[in-house]
Amino acid sequence: MKNNLLKEFNESRTPFFKSFSFLLIESIIPGFLIWFTIGYDFKFSLNEKLPTPHVGYLALICTVYLIYSCLLTYLFYKLKFHEIDNFTFAQISTIIFIAIIMFGTFMKSSSLWILIRFISILLIVVVLTPLFVFIGTLIRNNDLRRVEDLERTYEAYKKGEIIPDKKLLKAQRYQKYLVSKIQKEEELEKFKLELDEKIKRELKEQELKEKLKAEKINKKLDAKENKKREKQKD
């Protein structure tokens, strides 16, 4: 499943510079602004001017920041400014900024705490990346399904056939899935049979080689024995 997700994710990639440009708007610039202005890692921060409790309001701002990033990225995707992969990148970037900001509220700036913060953020990214890839894939597949349904409806309309409703389209998709599943099972079974035949053939060839090798060795031994006997007779 993971490989399929990555495959589908890679099929909808945005060019790097275009992706980075939108990431600046969707996540990076807002993240830096929040971190620099109300984060706890800088002396010039304005976090003390937040209402009490400071950390609570900071968490609220970070939540709004995450919602902003999600909605804006999705909007840009729907407007076809970039592909769905930017959704994953934007949310990962946003989570990284939020983690940096929130960890700064209780982690000191010493070398040990910086290392702990780095490892913690890395773990968060590793855990959440598959989730965001999965969400992005779902969004993309849902859009592809919608386009496919529209194409089928249009084809039916052009041919003067009954225009399929949602239930019929779902049934057709399920039928397509079953056919694909059966084909894969048949291909797998065929592959297994071919593999078994290949293994049997190779085993037979190996046995034949071993047999010929043994016969060759025996002939050499017999020849040596015959020579030895002839010498003894002389």
Side-chain angles (χ1 to χ4, degrees):
M1 181 180 177
K2 187 177 179 181
N3 290 334
N4 290 335
L5 284 177
L6 290 174
K7 182 181 177 183
E8 293 186 11
F9 176 77
N10 287 327
E11 287 174 353
S12 55
R13 300 295 296 271
T14 308
F16 174 77
F17 290 107
K18 185 178 181 181
S19 175
F20 183 73
S21 299
F22 280 102
L23 274 178
L24 289 172
I25 302 169
E26 296 163 351
S27 177
I28 296 174
I29 291 176
F32 274 118
L33 285 174
I34 296 171
W35 187 23
F36 288 152
T37 54
I38 55 176
Y40 279 73
D41 293 305
F42 307 101
K43 292 181 179 179
F44 55 80
S45 175
L46 304 175
N47 54 64
E48 293 298 327
K49 294 187 178 181
L50 289 172
T52 306
H54 303 320
V55 176
Y57 274 92
L58 181 60
L60 180 62
I61 291 169
C62 287
T63 303
V64 173
Y65 166 45
L66 179 62
I67 294 170
Y68 157 86
S69 180
C70 287
L71 293 178
L72 189 64
T73 308
Y74 183 70
L75 176 64
F76 284 164
Y77 164 69
K78 296 302 287 185
L79 292 174
K80 301 187 183 302
F81 290 164
H82 58 62
E83 299 295 336
I84 196 61
D85 63 327
N86 248 53
F87 180 86
T88 301
F89 299 140
Q91 302 326 303
I92 291 172
S93 301
T94 302
I95 289 296
I96 289 172
F97 275 110
I98 291 174
I100 291 171
I101 293 164
M102 294 309 298
F103 285 159
T105 61
F106 63 91
M107 288 186 177
K108 299 177 182 178
S109 298
S110 63
S111 300
L112 178 61
W113 280 108
I114 290 172
L115 178 62
I116 293 172
R117 190 190 297 195
F118 174 77
I119 294 171
S120 301
I121 291 170
L122 187 63
L123 288 173
I124 290 171
V125 170
V126 169
V127 171
L128 291 182
T129 296
L131 174 63
F132 290 128
V133 171
F134 178 71
I135 293 171
T137 303
L138 281 181
I139 294 171
R140 177 176 175 271
N141 287 347
N142 187 57
D143 288 341
L144 290 175
R145 194 178 296 119
R146 191 179 294 112
V147 170
E148 185 182 346
D149 290 347
L150 286 172
E151 288 176 352
R152 287 183 180 178
T153 302
Y154 179 64
E155 287 297 322
Y157 171 76
K158 282 200 305 182
K159 294 176 182 178
E161 299 173 352
I162 297 173
I163 296 176
D165 57 10
K166 288 184 178 180
K167 289 183 179 180
L168 181 57
L169 289 170
K170 284 183 180 179
Q172 289 174 343
R173 278 199 299 270
Y174 185 65
Q175 184 183 31
K176 186 178 178 181
Y177 163 75
L178 289 177
V179 170
S180 175
K181 186 179 179 182
I182 291 169
Q183 286 177 345
K184 285 181 180 178
E185 288 176 353
E186 289 176 350
E187 288 174 2
L188 183 61
E189 192 63 32
K190 184 180 177 182
F191 173 75
K192 286 180 180 178
L193 291 172
E194 289 176 353
L195 185 61
D196 288 340
E197 288 296 324
K198 186 178 179 181
I199 291 171
K200 288 178 182 177
R201 190 165 57 250
E202 288 181 354
L203 284 173
K204 286 181 179 179
E205 289 176 358
Q206 189 67 28
E207 287 176 2
L208 183 60
K209 286 179 182 178
E210 292 292 333
K211 188 177 179 181
L212 291 172
K213 187 178 179 181
E215 288 177 356
K216 193 174 181 181
I217 292 170
N218 288 333
K219 285 180 180 179
K220 285 182 178 180
L221 291 173
D222 290 341
K224 285 182 179 180
E225 189 67 27
N226 290 332
K227 284 182 180 180
K228 190 176 180 181
R229 286 175 184 172
E230 288 175 0
K231 285 181 180 180
Q232 287 176 352
K233 286 179 180 179
D234 294 340

